[in-house]
Amino acid sequence: MTEVCKQRVTVLGSTGSVGVSTLDVIARHAERFEVFALTAATKVDELLAQCARFTPRFAVMASAPHAALLAQKLEQSGLATRVLSGPDALETVAAHDEVDSVMAAIVGAAGLAPCLAAARAGKRLLLANKEALVVGGELFMRTVQEGGATLLPIDSEHSAIFQSLPEDPSTWARRIDKIILTASGGPFRTRDASTLASVTPEQACAHPNWVMGRKISVDSATMMNKALEVIEARHLFGVTPEQIEVVIHPQSVVHSMVQFTDGSVMAQLGTPDMRVPIAVGLSWPDRIESGATRLDFRNMHALTFTAPDAELFPGLGLAWHALRAVSGTTAVLNAANEVAVEAFLDRRLRFDRIHAVNLETLEAVAPTRPTSLGDLLALDAAARAAANAAALRFAA
């Protein structure tokens, strides 16, 4: 019997919700996948436990002190995993010659550089990091093309679109009429907009359908996550901003749809479980067991779709505004939102003022078209400075 060559995987952000789900899928298929490297920001004990289970060659921590602590604990446990630290180490394990696939699940702009490194190295890149496309945009997509990388979207919505499209991307432009992104509406879908000032971080993070990290949970509550997904869809699928539509679908069963030029619609359905798009990304074009619960149509009473409430979710419209402006504008929007959400989670900013910070930052920073990672990082820094100043003015 011929031995199957295992796919060696680096998981960037392995202790986050997507990283944990990725390792769950990998563990179900030990004959197909081998963990090459794992990375985390500060969760030493969680990464230690993952190293004990998956025995990666490398483990990366964001800072040298956290790395030193992890190395000490690994040595005490008799584990041979080598520990690295810092941004350069993330790029090293993303672009390493022995790596086949990279799960990009680091939240925020910090994930952009290793994503670019993986793209330049021609890896199979499983993209769960929104910011690579929202911040990197044209530069990132050009790097993917020039590096010969295989880009597979992991966000449930973009994975749904990808699965609904023909396999040959060269046919997409003439076939697609529009892309329809579904949104759950988060925890405040039916709330009176006038009461949003009193929202707490705990309430905003209590998503009714999905288990996610705190930042993306807040983005779901404001629907800024959907604004970022509109920007992603523009770059991933080569459509115009006008060809992207968002609908509220509280049941989170239809993960997104493509309407074709003949009027027909293709959709991907499933339970709200990130292991499904992760399994698709790891195995494409094959299909493997994900561990997700199956849909039971006999017990499905209704699937509803409505237009988003612009008063309740004012941030959603910023996606189209940013896409129609200079390409760096999307990077400004992303940075502003990261700062505003952090201020809200730290109880320094009211929930209903997140949009105000984003809007003021877009008005304060006039970007030029970025042509390098350095340009993007400089633009990100300028936007963060403006957003922090705005957050102070709007402080709770």
Side-chain angles (χ1 to χ4, degrees):
M1 182 180 294
T2 303
E3 185 177 351
V4 177
C5 185
K6 291 185 179 181
Q7 188 181 145
R8 291 179 293 272
V9 184
T10 285
V11 183
L12 303 172
S14 65
T15 59
S17 60
V18 172
V20 169
S21 294
T22 300
L23 292 176
D24 180 85
V25 175
I26 287 174
R28 294 171 186 274
H29 302 279
E31 76 288 353
R32 295 183 62 133
F33 305 107
E34 176 184 339
V35 176
F36 180 82
L38 299 173
T39 84
T42 60
K43 296 179 180 178
V44 171
D45 289 337
E46 288 89 336
L47 190 54
L48 175 67
Q50 291 177 345
C51 288
R53 183 175 183 187
F54 294 96
T55 61
R57 187 180 307 181
F58 294 102
V60 179
M61 298 296 302
S63 72
H66 285 102
L69 180 58
L70 176 62
Q72 179 185 13
K73 293 191 174 190
L74 284 168
E75 184 178 3
Q76 291 171 349
S77 302
L79 298 171
T81 297
R82 181 182 172 189
V83 181
L84 306 173
S85 67
D88 290 346
L90 291 175
E91 294 187 45
T92 296
V93 298
H96 199 284
D97 288 344
E98 296 182 42
V99 170
D100 301 303
S101 299
V102 177
M103 169 56 77
I106 294 176
V107 175
L112 177 58
C115 282
L116 284 168
R120 280 193 299 270
K123 303 304 181 185
R124 183 187 184 99
L125 182 53
L126 283 59
L127 191 64
N129 171 281
K130 294 180 186 300
E131 290 73 20
L133 281 166
V134 174
V135 177
E138 296 172 2
L139 174 64
F140 178 72
M141 292 304 294
R142 185 168 66 249
T143 304
V144 168
Q145 184 175 15
E146 292 174 351
T150 300
L151 184 61
L152 295 162
I154 300 301
D155 270 354
S156 60
E157 295 82 1
H158 300 102
S159 177
I161 295 163
F162 177 77
Q163 293 177 65
S164 299
L165 285 169
E167 285 193 25
D168 183 0
S170 68
T171 69
W172 292 355
R174 70 173 184 266
R175 295 189 184 207
I176 297 173
D177 178 39
K178 65 179 175 180
I179 283 171
I180 305 167
L181 294 169
T182 58
S184 68
F188 308 136
R189 174 177 56 86
T190 60
R191 187 159 176 150
D192 186 333
S194 65
T195 69
L196 292 178
S198 63
V199 165
T200 66
E202 292 74 22
Q203 291 171 330
C205 290
H207 197 283
N209 299 343
W210 296 90
V211 178
M212 305 181 294
R214 281 162 60 81
K215 194 269 182 182
I216 194 172
S217 294
V218 175
D219 283 348
S220 179
T222 62
M223 275 191 69
M224 272 303 300
N225 71 319
K226 211 54 53 177
L228 300 180
E229 287 169 15
V230 167
I231 296 168
E232 285 184 276
R234 156 73 183 91
H235 293 294
L236 278 169
F237 306 113
V239 294
T240 67
E242 291 71 28
Q243 287 178 286
I244 306 171
E245 183 178 297
V246 173
V247 296
I248 301 291
H249 171 52
Q251 295 82 17
S252 294
V253 170
V254 177
H255 296 306
S256 277
M257 299 168 273
V258 179
Q259 182 167 291
F260 292 95
T261 51
D262 61 4
S264 62
V265 177
M266 296 289 287
Q268 186 264 337
L269 286 70
T271 51
D273 190 323
M274 282 303 299
R275 290 177 296 179
V276 174
I278 289 167
V280 170
L282 284 169
S283 65
W284 189 262
D286 292 339
R287 296 278 182 168
I288 59 174
E289 168 61 39
S290 67
T293 303
R294 273 40 174 178
L295 283 178
D296 185 350
F297 287 90
R298 297 167 300 179
N299 293 322
M300 200 177 298
H301 303 298
L303 298 179
T304 60
F305 303 90
T306 57
D309 183 331
E311 183 181 7
L312 195 58
F313 304 116
L316 179 59
L318 294 179
W320 288 271
H321 166 79
L323 283 172
R324 293 180 184 122
V326 177
S327 59
T329 306
T330 58
V332 174
L333 175 59
N334 177 77
N337 186 61
E338 284 191 20
V339 168
V341 170
E342 182 180 9
F344 166 68
L345 288 171
D346 290 344
R347 304 178 195 276
R348 293 182 283 111
L349 186 72
R350 281 191 351 215
F351 180 83
D352 64 331
R353 288 177 174 168
I354 292 174
H355 176 64
V357 170
N358 292 341
L359 195 59
E360 184 165 312
T361 305
L362 285 172
E363 293 171 350
V365 180
T368 56
R369 182 179 181 183
T371 59
S372 67
L373 178 59
D375 290 346
L376 289 171
L377 294 178
L379 189 55
D380 180 80
R384 288 175 189 275
N388 275 306
L392 280 174
R393 281 193 294 276
F394 289 109

